[in-house]
Amino acid sequence: MPHVDRYAPSPTSDLHLGNLRTALAGWLLARHAGGRWLMRVEDLDRARVRAASGAEGRQLDDLRRLGLVWDGEVVRQSERLERYAAAVDALPTYECFCTRREIAEASSAPHDGYRPYPGTCRDLTPAQRAERRAGRPPAIRVDSAGASFAVDDVHAGRVSGLVDDFVLVRNDGGFAYNLAVVVDDMEMGVTHITRGDDLLDSAPRQAWLTAQLGGRPATYAHVGLVVNGEGRRLAKRDGAVTLRDLEDRSPADVLALLTESLGLGACRSTEGALAAMPGDQRFFSGVTWSDGELSPSRPTGR
Ligand code: GLU
């Protein structure tokens, strides 16, 4: 079975240790399986991309400096808008005029890690729709008909989740992440998706959409996040957390830190890390960054 994974950074800030660790995990899994590792820049949020000027170049540069070399050309979402439009045309959809506030007020309790859209606009009459269109541009939602879907994750096992009528096109006309990621993974021939476990909750919806579009859902490896001393997801405010900030350490030092945190021992090259890969894949747990060290996080009870 082919093994094609991808790394999909959003160029809205520099990559921190958590991002680099996830990229390394995906690279290792792909190379260990003799597969391919592709690169996709998720640059649909034009305003945030512009505000983080040059981030894409720095991200790709940092990955290269660690020895994480990808196969083929970099794919950019901003160059693929007509593909997303074609996918929307192929799906059952409806217009949604709800504001955030209306959705919050109408929503039920969180379900499978998120608040499903309650379907408010699904059954609007043509007259109601015309009236609401005069006041507010619509978002486009997929009609999931109350589906549920299960995915396989090498770490979390079989994870099933409700598929709500999620947004495909936002009301500013921008294509939603959940749509673009699916269209791209299908077209890039992705069979395995290694990414941060903050995205585990979105996997059943994305896999369901893949099946709706005639694709075969990937196998997932959701990697535990790097958190700070307070247990919160690592961020810029945690100080020196990017390759550039860690000036007193060489790329090989950082690689050793990351490979050790993945349970492979301190490896100063990607080839060394590959040689240290075990047969089983139980090195995906989260770690804590504190006092310049990465150490195993205490279980959060997830
Ligand atoms: N662009 C997303 C992020 O940076 C990753 C999406 C994915 O891997 O599916 O968090």
Side-chain angles (χ1 to χ4, degrees), residues 106-124:
S107 288
S108 50
H111 211 288
D112 297 328
Y114 71 102
R115 275 179 203 281
Y117 176 66
T120 319
C121 289
R122 189 189 301 131
D123 300 319
L124 293 180

Side-chain angles (χ1 to χ4, degrees), residues 254-276:
V254 173
L255 192 68
L257 189 76
L258 296 174
T259 58
E260 188 143 39
S261 85
L262 292 174
L264 302 175
C267 306
R268 299 183 59 80
S269 71
T270 44
E271 290 70 31
L274 202 50

Side-chain angles (χ1 to χ4, degrees), residues 6 8-10 42 177 181 195 199:
R6 82 310 191 263
S10 302
E42 303 212 319
Y177 155 71
V181 91
R195 60 185 185 181
L199 292 168

